């Protein structure tokens, strides 16, 4: 970060937790902690959509802390009831920006994160808000924190495959939770050893990607 002694990602996360706890955010335990199989009706039911506002409060805590501790600039492009579009940028060179957005569907707020634009998220949290996919508030926060941590500490990697007929053939995303690959409609073949690709990019080695790929990987914001 820009002033004072070296700030670590652990320092940032500790302060995020403090700010978040002071917000009075809701907490609920994992309703499937006993590993029981979800009932069929849970898959089409959202008992309490408003509780997912916990993600918005967590996002706000990260924004507040990064602006204060790391000089991150927050450009709010839209803000309203259930809607938010922001661009976060570090004062350090060679860093990726973060496009943070909140959209509401059936009263459930969804947080989208991107390093390219509001319309191209590398992750959306929650991925599903039905009761069957609810594993408690701590699980949601863990996912959002891992995504934001990867952006801030510079470990995030986003690879877009060659474009065919206007659409990328694949997306590869590496965060602290591992890596995930999604394929376009016209799959051109498997991407072998995606974990090795992520590791190579992070270490500065040749990831041996097919021609036409776009790689996004920036420095740490700290």
């Amino acid at each position: 970060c820009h002033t004072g002694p070296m700030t670590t990602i652990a320092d940032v996360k500790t302060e995020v937790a403090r700010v978040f706890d002071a917000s009075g955010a809701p907490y609920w335990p994992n309703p499937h902690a006993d590993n029981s199989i979800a009932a069929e009706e849970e898959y089409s039911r959202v008992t309490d959509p408003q509780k997912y506002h916990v993600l918005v409060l967590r996002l706000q805590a990260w924004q507040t802390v990064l602006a204060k501790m790391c000089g991150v600039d927050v450009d709010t492009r839209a803000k309203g009831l259930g809607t938010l579009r922001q661009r976060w940028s570090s004062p350090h060179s060679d860093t990726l920006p973060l496009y943070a957005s909140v959209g509401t569907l059936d009263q459930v707020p969804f947080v989208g994160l991107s390093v390219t634009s509001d319309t191209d998220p590398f992750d959306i949290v929650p991925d599903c808000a039905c009761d069957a996919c609810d594993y408690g508030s701590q699980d949601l926060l863990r996912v959002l924190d891992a995504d934001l941590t990867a952006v801030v500490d510079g470990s995030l990697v986003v690879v877009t495959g060659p474009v065919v007929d206007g659409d990328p053939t694949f997306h590869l995303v590496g965060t602290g939770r591992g890596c995930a690959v999604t394929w376009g409609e016209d799959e051109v073949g498997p991407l072998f050893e995606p974990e090795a690709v992520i590791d190579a990019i992070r270490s500065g080695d040749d990831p041996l990607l097919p021609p036409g790929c776009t790689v996004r990987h920036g420095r740490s914001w700290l």
Side-chain angles (χ1 to χ4, degrees), residues 159-178:
V159 181
T160 303
V163 175
V164 176
D165 294 331
D167 295 312
T169 49
F170 68 86
H171 280 101
L172 171 63
V173 178
T175 67
R177 294 186 293 129

Side-chain angles (χ1 to χ4, degrees), residues 124-196:
I124 298 175
V125 190
D127 54 0
C128 179
C130 78
D131 289 355
C133 296
D134 181 6
Y135 292 96
S137 56
Q138 287 301 112
D139 181 70
L140 286 173
L141 299 181
R142 177 185 59 82
V143 172
L144 183 61
D145 285 352
D147 287 344
L148 292 171
T149 295
V151 175
V152 174
D153 71 10
S155 62
L156 177 72
V157 174
V158 179
V159 181
T160 303
V163 175
V164 176
D165 294 331
D167 295 312
T169 49
F170 68 86
H171 280 101
L172 171 63
V173 178
T175 67
R177 294 186 293 129
C179 68
V181 184
T182 55
W183 297 100
E185 293 183 3
D186 297 320
E187 184 177 332
V188 295
L191 180 67
F192 293 107
E193 298 184 353
E195 295 89 352

Side-chain angles (χ1 to χ4, degrees), residues 23-195:
S23 70
Y27 166 84
W28 67 97
N30 179 3
H32 302 101
D34 58 358
N35 294 319
S36 60
I37 298 176
E40 185 175 345
E41 61 268 20
E42 288 185 283
Y43 286 95
S44 57
R45 187 181 69 203
V46 181
T47 301
D48 182 9
Q50 294 300 320
K51 69 184 180 183
Y52 288 94
H53 187 64
V54 67
L55 291 165
V56 180
L57 295 174
R58 190 69 158 201
L59 185 70
Q60 291 174 344
W62 274 91
Q63 173 202 312
T64 298
V65 171
L66 290 173
K68 178 182 177 181
M69 296 182 67
C70 300
V72 168
D73 178 72
V74 178
D75 176 17
T76 299
R77 302 178 172 196
K79 188 174 184 179
L81 186 62
T83 302
L84 180 69
R85 288 193 296 113
Q86 294 178 327
R87 184 183 188 273
W88 303 3
S89 54
S90 167
H92 297 307
S93 60
D94 300 323
T95 53
L96 295 174
L98 174 68
Y99 294 85
S101 63
V102 177
T104 303
L105 178 63
D106 294 333
Q107 301 183 58
V108 176
F110 289 83
V111 173
L113 303 174
S114 173
V115 292
T116 54
S117 72
D118 297 323
T119 58
D120 184 29
F122 66 81
D123 201 8
I124 298 175
V125 190
D127 54 0
C128 179
C130 78
D131 289 355
C133 296
D134 181 6
Y135 292 96
S137 56
Q138 287 301 112
D139 181 70
L140 286 173
L141 299 181
R142 177 185 59 82
V143 172
L144 183 61
D145 285 352
D147 287 344
L148 292 171
T149 295
V151 175
V152 174
D153 71 10
S155 62
L156 177 72
V157 174
V158 179
V159 181
T160 303
V163 175
V164 176
D165 294 331
D167 295 312
T169 49
F170 68 86
H171 280 101
L172 171 63
V173 178
T175 67
R177 294 186 293 129
C179 68
V181 184
T182 55
W183 297 100
E185 293 183 3
D186 297 320
E187 184 177 332
V188 295
L191 180 67
F192 293 107
E193 298 184 353
E195 295 89 352

Side-chain angles (χ1 to χ4, degrees), residues 192-216:
F192 293 107
E193 298 184 353
E195 295 89 352
V197 170
I198 295 294
D199 290 343
I201 293 170
R202 287 173 175 163
S203 61
D205 296 333
D206 185 353
L208 302 176
L209 288 164
C213 289
T214 301
V215 176
R216 294 179 174 88

